[in-house]
């Protein structure tokens, strides 16, 4: 049994993660953490998701529960995740990072911390999305030089970063296959007199609306035909199950930064 702690436990993903761990045969929920001042501190994790008591109460002190878990699953915000990672690295605890929206410097900090502990860091933990990463790489190999490539994503109105971490990861993977640098070839949204499309660019379009869980399309548009690789998430449970699978997979790893492709053996 892998002993799991969840931070951001009262959030959209946090609550789904509590349910996913409770359903898992390989994992046990042993700690739940929320921000100081949260109205849920002291509440049982089961009560939080409207189910039977789970015997684990929400705390705002990660450092006080580090002896209770093996892997911390973190779906919060970048600054909080980095602080938690420092605690985990110091205490020899592993981490699954689902948070998105890190900048380049913060990404470097995560890579550096992976020399002190083992972590899985993935902007999207769903099996289907990771399959789409692979399909997009194959499409880029076959069509990439002649196609116009556009990445379109849609999420719920509460999402605070754009484009999504998944859209950026799709872009990075396609750009790498084509030997392009996403930092210089990406175009984010278009407005006004843009001029004709430059062929080697990769375009990103973002939709924020309603309760959309997460849609992503990579479009390869050529003369006379186009290929679209699309993933649509209809529930957060697929991300949560992926995160729990990643936590269990980490159990025998000591050091290093891994992603979901490693976890899934893709
Ligand atoms: P949310 O706002 O519903 O939840 C975040 C939670 O973190 C909140 O409950 C908040 O109180 C808590 N939090 C904030 N500061 C904290 C602190 N100092 N200590 C403890 N808890 C703290 O957001 P969400 O929709 O659950 O998404 C969270 C993150 O996960 C986002 O970055 C989102 O993009 C990402 N996400 C990733 C995947 C994936 O598969 N990797 C899937 C869905 C969402």
């Amino acid at each position: 049994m892998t002993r799991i702690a969840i931070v951001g436990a009262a959030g959209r993903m946090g609550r789904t993660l509590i349910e996913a761990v409770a359903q898992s045969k390989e994992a046990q929920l042993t700690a739940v953490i929320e921000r100081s001042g949260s109205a849920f501190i002291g509440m049982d994790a089961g009560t939080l998701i409207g189910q039977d008591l789970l015997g684990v109460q929400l705390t705002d002190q990660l450092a006080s529960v580090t002896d209770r878990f093996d892997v911390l699953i973190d779906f919060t915000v970048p600054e909080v995740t980095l602080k938690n990672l420092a605690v985990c690295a110091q205490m020899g605890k592993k981490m699954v990072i689902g948070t998105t929206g890190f900048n380049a410097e913060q990404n470097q900090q995560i890579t550096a911390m992976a020399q002190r502990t083992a972590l899985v860091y993935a902007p999207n933990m769903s099996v289907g999305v990771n399959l789409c990463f692979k399909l997009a790489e194959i499409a880029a190999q076959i069509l990439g030089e002649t196609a116009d490539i556009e990445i379109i994503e849609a999420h719920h109105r509460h999402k605070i970063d754009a484009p999504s971490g998944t859209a950026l990861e799709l872009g990075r993977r396609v750009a790498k296959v084509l030997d392009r640098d996403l930092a210089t070839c990406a175009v984010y949204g278009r407005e006004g007199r843009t001029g004709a499309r430059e062929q080697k660019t990769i375009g990103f379009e973002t939709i924020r609306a309603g309760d959309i869980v997460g849609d992503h399309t990579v479009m390869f548009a050529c003369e006379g035909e186009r290929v679209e690789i699309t993933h649509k998430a209809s529930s957060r449970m697929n991300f949560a199950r992926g995160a729990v699978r990643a936590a269990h997979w980490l159990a025998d790893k000591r050091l290093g930064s891994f992603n979901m492709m490693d976890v899934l053996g893709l």
Side-chain angles (χ1 to χ4, degrees), residues 8 11-13 34-35 75-76 80 98 100 122-125 159 239:
R12 281 175 288 266
M13 276 306 300
E34 251 299 330
R35 63 179 167 75
F75 283 67
T76 58
V80 172
T100 62
N124 198 310
M125 307 258 170
K159 185 162 176 63
F239 308 127

Side-chain angles (χ1 to χ4, degrees), residues 12-21 73-75 96-100 120 122-130 133 154-156 159 164-167 211-216 231-247 260 263-264:
R12 281 175 288 266
M13 276 306 300
R15 290 170 196 246
T16 317
L17 283 158
I18 293 173
E19 215 176 322
V21 178
I73 302 182
D74 187 321
F75 283 67
V96 173
I97 299 176
T99 306
T100 62
V120 172
N124 198 310
M125 307 258 170
S126 106
V127 175
V129 159
N130 283 276
F133 288 159
H155 281 86
H156 53 89
K159 185 162 176 63
S164 71
T166 305
D211 61 355
I212 301 169
V213 175
D215 294 354
H216 293 89
H231 179 270
K232 295 186 183 205
S234 48
S235 138
R236 289 185 176 82
M237 192 47 98
N238 73 99
F239 308 127
R241 289 220 176 94
V244 175
R245 186 167 169 173
M260 274 314 276
V263 175
L264 300 172

